[in-house]
Amino acid sequence: MTSGFKYSDSNKRYHTYSYYIRQRFGQRVFRAAMDIGAGCPNRCGECGENGCIFCSDGSTPRGRFTGISPEELDKIYSDACEATGSKAQGAPFIPYLQSGSNTFGDIEAFEPVYRQLLSCDNALGLCIATRADCIDEDFADLFAELGEQTYLTVELGLQTIHDETALACGRGHTLAQFMQGYELLQSRGVNVGIHIINGLPKENADMMRETARLVGSLKPHCVKIHNLFFEEGTRIAEMLRRGEVRPLERDEYVSIICDQIELMPPETVIARLTGDADRRRIIEPEWSLHKLPVLNEIDKELSRRGTFQGSAL
Ligand code: SF4
């Protein structure tokens, strides 16, 4: 049964990424997540040394990206495509620069990487994850140019609009800095994705709703939302052990997520509503390992409310 929501052909009451991709490309397109060795200014000392408290990137902090050979990049791309599994063999891909801040370094180092990935067999677009404080006019201009040629998305980690939470989480940049980077991209018509985390230390449901309200008002191309999870080796795991923070219960999360969906414009693609915790390292919450039941509960709750994405606008 279809939900009747404008951007859905299933029971979904929100604008899913798979729906968007099917409409745009007429087929399934896989994302090939890859690590080209980009660093993070929040781990190498430029704006912080310890990283975000939930950062699970336990590797040695990397500095500004200085480049990679075409052969190395080719290998990273084919390995990433293979890692998506046999169901994706021969299928089209969107290369996804997921690890690190993929604009942290000179544009001359990054531009050949973006262009080479776009020229790969089966590549139908490009997704670039980074921090808003690593976007300048030159990157924004380049993304505007590439965005005219392909399906390009730049994903920015915001997590929360509340600076006091961001400070407590060691995010290393303020909402004002985020807005500056966001506006540089938006003014040039670049597709921007925004990441939100629910359940950060000392945040209540009202604060999470305020984050969604402001993010929705920015009309981003897509949003990704997940709950905070606690993984071995992170500072947030130590806080959990000291009793300074608690994981959200599943019902709480579902209720907050539904409120947030109602605050998003219908055109914004909801690219994710659950996280991908590392099974070998997760401590809590156990429920977040089971994505399907969480997504089903979200569907049921929206149906029970009789609401859709954008209902609360
Ligand atoms: S911005 Fe990303 S890579 Fe950098 S410390 Fe935070 S979570 Fe880790």
Side-chain angles (χ1 to χ4, degrees):
M1 198 175 77
T2 58
S3 66
F5 177 60
K6 184 177 174 191
Y7 298 99
S8 168
D9 53 9
S10 65
N11 68 333
K12 297 291 177 192
R13 290 170 171 257
Y14 55 93
H15 194 160
T16 65
Y17 182 71
S18 64
Y19 176 84
Y20 176 81
I21 290 294
R22 270 184 287 114
Q23 297 301 309
R24 179 160 184 149
F25 297 108
Q27 60 184 324
R28 275 187 92 181
V29 180
F30 293 86
R31 286 225 221 192
M34 59 188 74
D35 180 356
I36 57 165
C40 173
N42 199 24
R43 299 191 72 239
C44 73
E46 289 216 12
C47 68
E49 282 180 354
N50 298 319
C52 305
I53 54 176
F54 44 79
C55 185
S56 55
D57 183 356
S59 58
T60 314
R62 301 154 169 171
R64 290 172 172 267
F65 182 70
T66 51
I68 185 172
S69 76
E71 294 74 25
E72 280 174 304
L73 185 57
D74 242 353
K75 167 105 177 62
I76 291 171
Y77 178 64
S78 19
D79 288 351
C81 292
E82 255 187 62
T84 59
S86 53
K87 64 185 176 183
Q89 295 309 313
F93 285 95
I94 294 179
Y96 178 23
L97 298 178
Q98 186 179 31
S99 302
S101 302
N102 292 281
T103 56
F104 177 48
D106 289 341
I107 196 164
E108 290 76 17
F110 280 108
E111 186 173 347
V113 172
Y114 307 149
R115 292 194 187 276
Q116 185 179 333
L117 288 174
L118 283 170
S119 70
C120 286
D121 286 347
N122 293 337
L124 284 192
L126 180 62
C127 183
I128 298 166
T130 189
R131 293 165 55 97
D133 59 343
C134 295
I135 298 287
D136 62 17
E137 301 265 350
D138 292 341
F139 275 107
D141 287 341
L142 174 62
F143 294 148
E145 183 202 322
L146 296 177
E148 282 179 9
Q149 302 159 16
T150 190
Y151 175 43
L152 179 99
T153 309
V154 178
E155 292 191 353
L156 303 176
L158 172 64
Q159 325 311 359
T160 173
I161 62 163
H162 303 285
D163 277 345
E164 64 273 26
T165 313
L167 192 63
C169 290
R171 188 182 66 192
H173 65 297
T174 61
L175 176 64
Q177 286 171 291
F178 172 86
M179 290 303 298
Q180 214 173 349
Y182 182 84
E183 280 161 10
L184 275 178
L185 296 171
Q186 201 187 38
S187 66
R188 289 158 174 82
V190 177
N191 288 329
V192 184
I194 301 181
H195 291 204
I196 295 173
I197 297 180
N198 285 333
L200 292 169
K202 299 194 170 56
E203 286 220 338
N204 58 35
D206 280 343
M207 294 169 83
M208 298 174 222
R209 279 190 283 267
E210 282 164 19
T211 291
R213 191 181 304 280
L214 187 134
V215 167
S217 73
L218 298 176
K219 298 186 167 47
H221 170 62
C222 65
V223 294
K224 283 185 174 176
I225 311 177
H226 70 80
N227 61 298
L228 177 66
F229 33 75
F230 301 82
E231 291 181 343
E232 287 295 357
T234 60
R235 286 188 289 145
I236 196 76
E238 295 308 315
M239 292 171 73
L240 178 74
R241 291 198 172 99
R242 291 196 298 268
E244 293 166 14
V245 60
R246 68 167 183 92
L248 287 175
E249 299 293 338
R250 190 178 79 171
D251 289 353
E252 263 182 298
Y253 181 70
V254 167
S255 167
I256 293 163
I257 276 282
C258 290
D259 295 345
Q260 292 175 317
I261 290 171
E262 292 167 8
L263 288 164
M264 291 296 154
E267 295 74 23
T268 292
V269 178
I270 309 283
R272 168 173 287 184
L273 291 176
T274 55
D276 273 325
D278 183 339
R279 289 185 169 269
R280 295 158 306 175
R281 297 171 55 200
I282 188 164
I283 306 167
E284 290 256 28
E286 201 272 339
W287 59 260
S288 68
L289 290 174
H290 311 288
K291 291 200 222 178
L292 203 56
V294 179
L295 294 173
N296 287 341
E297 288 305 312
I298 292 168
D299 292 340
K300 275 199 255 172
E301 176 61 10
L302 288 171
S303 174
R304 189 191 65 75
R305 295 182 186 191
T307 56
F308 300 93
Q309 183 176 339
S311 287
L313 295 175

